[in-house]
Amino acid sequence: MHSKAIGLCSNLCSLLGLPLPDLRADEDGALCFTVAIKEIEIGFVADERVSADHIQYLVHFGSAPDEREPLVLRELLHANLLSQQPGAPVFARDPQTGEVVLAGLLQLGACPAEQVLAGLVELVDSAISWRNTHRVVQNVQAGDAARRLLDRR
């Protein structure tokens, strides 16, 4: 169970020089783990009830300043609309924390971990640029937000 997700986690941690986290499924059977790249947290959720061949990722962009939040959220909705490729990641807002996340799915085993990491680094660079543009605040742990986002399905 979750062998492909555990393999991805192991390979990513090895490439990043990180210790392997404690990988145990939660009470619902989902496997959640978090890695940090350039101080940006990326949460992963593998839930075989949803798909045995995919893992959800959530890149944590941060919270927009309160005074600019409506404008920022409008920009993110526009980005979602313009990103109409099948399987394209989408922006979401965690209702409990207000944090913006980019959520997508990876097909497990479809490409080597080095290629997955390269794609994640591109997303992390986008998150860093977005944070600098919007002067965002970091306020939650990625694993907690990943679990909450999955629970809202």
Side-chain angles (χ1 to χ4, degrees):
M1 213 169 153
H2 296 299
S3 60
K4 290 180 184 178
I6 291 170
L8 174 65
C9 178
S10 177
N11 290 335
L12 287 176
C13 287
S14 176
L15 290 169
L16 292 166
L18 299 173
L20 189 63
D22 183 22
L23 296 174
R24 284 183 280 185
D26 66 13
E27 63 276 359
D28 295 324
L31 179 75
C32 304
F33 63 92
T34 302
V35 298
I37 301 173
K38 300 180 184 180
E39 300 183 15
I40 301 290
E41 290 186 341
I42 304 171
F44 293 88
V45 179
D47 189 340
E48 292 183 343
R49 296 169 302 168
V50 177
S51 173
D53 296 323
H54 293 85
I55 190 166
Q56 183 177 35
Y57 63 87
L58 297 105
V59 180
H60 291 262
F61 277 55
S63 299
D66 289 339
E67 68 278 0
R68 297 196 63 232
E69 187 176 41
L71 176 63
V72 169
L73 295 179
R74 184 180 312 154
E75 289 174 2
L76 296 175
L77 286 173
H78 290 170
N80 283 347
L81 179 65
L82 297 173
S83 179
Q84 295 184 359
Q85 295 178 348
V90 295
F91 286 101
R93 180 185 178 275
D94 184 319
Q96 294 179 348
T97 65
E99 184 169 9
V100 172
V101 295
L102 181 66
L105 291 175
L106 289 172
Q107 185 174 354
L108 291 164
C111 57
E114 293 84 1
Q115 191 174 348
V116 171
L117 180 57
L120 292 174
V121 167
E122 286 183 30
L123 296 177
V124 162
D125 289 342
S126 294
I128 291 169
S129 176
W130 190 86
R131 284 182 178 187
N132 291 336
T133 300
H134 295 288
R135 297 188 195 118
V136 299
V137 178
Q138 301 173 46
N139 61 2
V140 296
Q141 287 289 351
D144 295 340
R147 184 74 233 150
R148 284 193 304 277
L149 187 62
L150 186 65
D151 287 343
R152 288 194 299 272
R153 286 185 169 194

